[in-house]
Amino acid sequence: MKKMETELAQIGCRREPKTGSINFPVYFATAYEHVGGVSTGYDYTRTANPTRDVLQESIARLEQGDEGFACSSGMAAIQTVMGLFSQGDHLIVSLDLYGGTYRLFEENLRRFGLDFSYVDLRNMDEVENAIQANTRAIFIETPTNPLMQVADIQALCSLARRHQIITIVDNTFLTPYFQRPIELGADVVIHSATKYLGGHNDVLAGLIVTKGSELSEHVRYLHNAIGASLGPHDCYLLMRGMKTLALRMDRHQENALQLAQFLREHSLIKGEVYYPALDEKGKDTHLKQAGGFGGMLSFRLADANLIRPFLHHLKLITFAESLGGVESLITYPATQTHADIPEEIRLKVGVCDRLLRLSVGIEHIDDLRADLEQALSYANEYYS
Ligand SMILES: *Cc1c(COP(=O)(O)O)cnc(C)c1O
């Protein structure tokens, strides 16, 4: 593979010899003629679409896997992968976790006879103790959403392998530009491509990458059978976003590091900032497995009563429920992304009413810092 920046910038390029089109065309056709009774390799668009193929090949190469699959959302990607399991199977899942994943597992898949144990994946003894005879997979997020906890992918994958369990990594927060779990031993990588890969808050998409021919074949079957495949126009938008991923990730990270340091020093925050670069315990593990810290950070305000005036007074950073786009967004997990997690579990995990999650955009750092500063002083005055 060429350098990642080159692979990204050239997605879809030199793929259409007939016209030489630099961007790969969008094939809207849902059905394809069998010329002389023979398939061209394209029959029906749920099964295969030329535009989707280019995206799928790209993500497979970027993640160093064997096959890629584009789905209609990150949740559709997770649901598709969960089709690998059957009634009676058990999965070990990251305790701190994207709220939608928790909801899918607990409120939906549990009804179909799947069982889940939520474990702090930083603690290898706890993970090993949670393995049962019917355990089939470990579902990993690192860094976790929203607390940015770092788990050791390589250690988890080798533990899993010893027990003939597969590993699934949600790589949404770092993208293959910073972290490639398959190189560390993972079997499946999933993405909410709605976030950094798309990068512009304008396309909902999910991706799956598999390693190994048996697993790839099984997921290929599920992808077609379940049918949550990504439409051609969204494939195009996603590829357009991915071309600038490297530039964006570098700037997201540069800004996030500076804001994390600024917030940590602020009197209304009391040092409670969660960002892998500032994580005493997780930093070394993170640096061993990732090429960067990414653009996501969380922090706690000193008092829950500060949250409302602070959020209402932000002028540049938008209070909204997503991440990974060029625009900075701030989220209140307790009422937004993690509202479906029962309060007692949410508090036990640490997603308390003082916690905010910041997706640091690519704006100028001075403007971002100034916005946080003025909203924090307003909240302080308002509250005191
Ligand atoms: C957003 C998100 C998802 C779900 O993806 P959608 O594209 O919103 O369906 C899954 N995992 C993580 C870590 C996310 O941030």
Side-chain angles (χ1 to χ4, degrees):
M1 190 175 105
K2 295 189 187 65
K3 299 283 188 206
M4 176 117 359
E5 291 84 345
T6 311
E7 287 284 339
L8 288 163
Q10 299 236 346
I11 292 174
C13 199
R14 296 167 181 264
R15 288 293 299 264
E16 220 279 297
K18 197 170 164 193
T19 63
S21 154
I22 297 295
N23 306 302
F24 195 77
V26 187
Y27 284 80
F28 282 112
T30 54
Y32 294 82
E33 183 185 1
H34 289 199
V35 185
V38 183
S39 168
T40 58
Y42 296 99
D43 309 320
Y44 184 60
T45 207
R46 166 157 43 73
T47 318
N49 172 283
T51 312
R52 195 165 65 232
D53 276 355
V54 173
L55 168 63
Q56 293 182 156
E57 285 162 26
S58 296
I59 192 63
R61 202 163 45 245
L62 293 166
E63 286 285 7
Q64 294 290 295
D66 291 326
E67 272 192 58
F69 305 93
C71 300
S72 50
S73 69
M75 291 318 302
I78 297 174
Q79 168 75 46
T80 300
V81 168
M82 295 308 286
L84 291 167
F85 308 110
S86 304
Q87 187 176 30
D89 287 350
H90 170 253
L91 285 90
I92 295 170
V93 182
S94 175
L95 175 65
D96 186 35
L97 185 70
Y98 174 67
T101 307
Y102 179 87
R103 177 175 57 198
L104 176 71
F105 290 177
E106 287 304 301
E107 293 177 15
N108 293 284
L109 297 175
R110 204 173 263 290
R111 288 189 291 120
F112 294 86
L114 294 188
D115 188 20
F116 304 92
S117 297
Y118 299 89
V119 176
D120 184 342
L121 299 183
R122 293 172 299 181
N123 186 333
M124 292 302 294
D125 291 338
E126 263 183 59
V127 178
E128 186 140 28
N129 288 335
I131 297 176
Q132 308 170 3
N134 59 343
T135 304
R136 296 284 174 262
I138 305 179
F139 188 99
I140 304 165
E141 262 186 30
T142 182
T144 57
N145 181 356
L147 289 170
M148 305 302 294
Q149 295 164 352
V150 176
D152 187 331
I153 298 176
Q154 210 157 20
L156 288 164
C157 291
S158 54
L159 173 69
R161 197 136 296 177
R162 284 201 298 282
H163 291 267
Q164 285 157 0
I165 296 170
I166 68 162
T167 38
I168 303 163
V169 181
D170 183 336
N171 204 27
T172 299
F173 272 25
L174 290 182
T175 81
Y177 182 63
F178 281 144
Q179 179 171 275
R180 289 174 296 284
I182 287 172
E183 287 179 354
L184 302 163
D187 300 291
V188 181
V189 167
I190 63 119
H191 281 282
S192 169
T194 316
K195 315 294 170 55
Y196 286 107
L197 290 170
H200 295 76
N201 290 316
D202 61 0
V203 57
L204 183 75
L207 294 168
I208 305 167
V209 180
T210 50
K211 182 74 186 170
S213 55
E214 211 175 305
L215 194 60
S216 300
E217 198 174 315
H218 197 167
V219 173
R220 196 188 321 131
Y221 165 81
L222 291 165
H223 186 238
N224 180 52
I226 292 170
S229 40
L230 190 63
H233 189 247
D234 288 341
C235 290
Y236 180 86
L237 283 176
L238 182 51
M239 287 191 276
R240 187 171 69 166
M242 286 166 69
K243 284 168 180 274
T244 56
L245 181 71
L247 293 172
R248 288 187 284 108
M249 290 312 283
D250 284 338
R251 175 62 82 90
H252 283 298
Q253 155 162 283
E254 202 180 299
N255 283 351
L257 186 58
Q258 294 205 45
L259 291 187
Q261 280 157 346
F262 162 75
L263 290 167
R264 190 168 62 166
E265 305 303 321
H266 199 280
S267 60
L268 285 189
I269 286 156
K270 308 217 186 310
E272 293 181 291
V273 175
Y274 305 92
Y275 185 63
L278 305 183
D279 176 356
E280 296 277 312
K281 275 191 275 179
K283 189 175 172 183
D284 289 346
T285 307
H286 189 87
L287 286 174
K288 196 180 69 167
Q289 64 194 13
F293 299 108
M296 295 300 300
L297 62 90
S298 293
F299 58 100
R300 293 185 213 279
L301 293 186
D303 191 302
N305 290 310
L306 292 162
I307 297 274
R308 190 171 280 269
F310 169 70
L311 288 176
H312 282 206
H313 226 68
L314 286 168
K315 293 182 168 73
L316 186 71
I317 299 170
T318 307
F319 179 38
E321 194 163 350
S322 191
L323 64 99
V326 292
E327 305 91 350
S328 293
L329 301 185
I330 195 160
T331 303
Y332 187 38
T335 62
Q336 294 181 314
T337 51
H338 290 65
D340 281 326
I341 297 183
E343 190 179 2
E344 99 191 44
I345 296 176
R346 186 165 60 71
L347 295 178
K348 190 182 123 198
V349 174
V351 184
C352 73
D353 297 341
R354 296 191 292 117
L355 187 78
L356 289 165
R357 189 190 73 186
L358 181 58
S359 170
V360 182
I362 65 166
E363 302 92 341
H364 198 285
I365 183 66
D366 293 350
D367 293 325
L368 292 174
R369 199 191 293 107
D371 195 34
L372 289 170
E373 201 154 26
Q374 63 81 23
L376 283 166
S377 359
Y378 174 84
N380 196 25
E381 269 169 50
Y382 176 89
Y383 181 57
S384 57

